Amino acid sequence: MNIGLMSYERVTSEMRKAAPGITAEQIQTFIAVVRSGRCSQTEISKITGFTRQATSRHVAKLVRAGLLAQHADPESGRRRVVRLTARGRLIPATLGGLSGRVARGSSTAS
């Protein structure tokens, strides 16, 4: 699996430094957000194939680790948007594979 120039192994290594104890499923969840920019948990579930309940747990762990943020979507009161935090954006930036989608999302505050 590649994210731009980044290999899955390099992402995994950096993720484990940033959040010790992170699982492979949580890393897949993080990668889905990197690729999508801002997305809902439902969209993450479709990308990863995880159940909504599992996705919710993975997102919650990544939010607690400071890598993801979750906010109400201004266009829909019920929808929650997941995005990278400034700390979360450091991982792809450190690896030199900051995609255009992540770069566009980086202008938003954490």
Side-chain angles (χ1 to χ4, degrees):
M1 178 182 307
N2 288 320
I3 307 171
L5 301 174
M6 299 178 286
S7 71
Y8 181 76
E9 292 79 19
R10 289 183 65 202
V11 172
T12 300
S13 174
E14 286 301 314
M15 294 284 304
R16 293 211 163 113
K17 289 178 195 173
I22 195 165
T23 66
E25 292 83 4
Q26 291 159 357
I27 292 170
Q28 288 177 300
T29 300
F30 180 82
I31 290 170
V33 177
V34 169
R35 287 182 167 167
S36 300
R38 295 166 34 116
C39 54
S40 70
Q41 285 190 22
T42 300
E43 292 165 328
I44 295 169
S45 293
K46 288 177 184 176
I47 293 166
T48 61
F50 301 144
T51 65
R52 289 185 309 190
Q53 295 83 358
T55 298
S56 179
R57 286 191 308 271
H58 301 322
V59 168
K61 169 72 176 185
L62 293 165
V63 167
R64 284 192 302 276
L67 300 173
L68 297 181
Q70 195 172 31
H71 302 283
D73 185 341
E75 297 175 14
S76 168
R78 295 182 60 192
R79 183 174 185 243
R80 305 274 300 162
V81 176
V82 179
R83 64 171 177 76
L84 297 174
T85 62
R87 182 173 179 219
R89 286 189 302 273
L90 289 176
I91 293 169
T94 298
L95 294 168
L98 190 63
S99 73
R101 286 184 178 143
V102 176
R104 281 194 298 275
S106 68
S107 63
T108 59
S110 293

